[in-house]
Amino acid sequence: MFDTLGSKVRIKKTPETEDKGLAGREGIIQGHTTPSIMDIEVIGTLTEDFAINVQFDELKKSYWFAEDLIEILDNGQGAEITIKGDDKKWIKDKKGRWTEEKAENTKQWWKFWK
């Protein structure tokens, strides 16, 4: 499921997503988890112990969803992940794979005085 991180999605129309004002909204997958070991509210009915987090920029908020409420719109080509203090970054290619590159202008943690 890591390959869907950064993918653009649309939330399917159901009574529950409509009640929360999320039906038809588009967002970006930010992660996934195992709800049985986390204290999270999941929208939808889980068929397995797996939930997807979607960030909605216009709401400045993210929600957890059952997988069947998510419609993938694109694979997130061009999405980028960096880790503070690391000189690497990962960019999603057109096939949806994460490729590692050297990050530019990354300040190393041990050079905090610069």
Side-chain angles (χ1 to χ4, degrees):
M1 194 63 184
F2 183 70
D3 60 330
T4 63
L5 185 65
S7 295
K8 185 176 180 180
V9 298
R10 181 179 299 122
I11 304 305
K12 293 179 182 176
K13 183 178 176 179
T14 66
E16 193 171 6
T17 59
E18 285 182 325
D19 286 347
K20 296 198 179 284
L22 300 171
R25 286 197 184 268
E26 295 180 4
I28 304 294
I29 293 180
Q30 297 292 309
H32 62 275
T33 194
T34 307
S36 66
I37 60 172
M38 303 295 291
D39 185 24
I40 60 170
E41 175 188 353
V42 178
I43 300 169
T45 303
L46 295 173
T47 57
E48 53 187 288
D49 197 15
F50 182 82
I52 298 172
N53 185 265
V54 178
Q55 171 71 34
F56 301 97
D57 288 340
E58 72 276 6
L59 300 176
K60 295 181 175 55
K61 193 167 182 182
S62 66
Y63 295 88
W64 292 97
F65 293 91
E67 190 172 16
D68 65 334
L69 295 181
I70 306 292
E71 174 188 356
I72 303 281
L73 299 177
D74 71 37
N75 70 2
Q77 178 182 353
E80 190 173 301
I81 296 174
T82 59
I83 299 172
K84 187 175 182 176
D86 196 337
D87 66 347
K88 297 178 205 133
K89 64 181 177 180
W90 295 265
I91 300 174
K92 209 165 191 191
D93 67 17
K94 61 184 169 184
K95 292 184 178 181
R97 297 177 302 207
W98 290 98
T99 58
E100 184 179 307
E101 295 182 12
K102 184 165 179 64
E104 297 177 22
N105 300 323
T106 302
K107 192 179 215 181
Q108 302 297 323
W109 69 268
W110 63 86
K111 296 180 182 179
F112 61 88
W113 60 87
K114 290 186 178 184

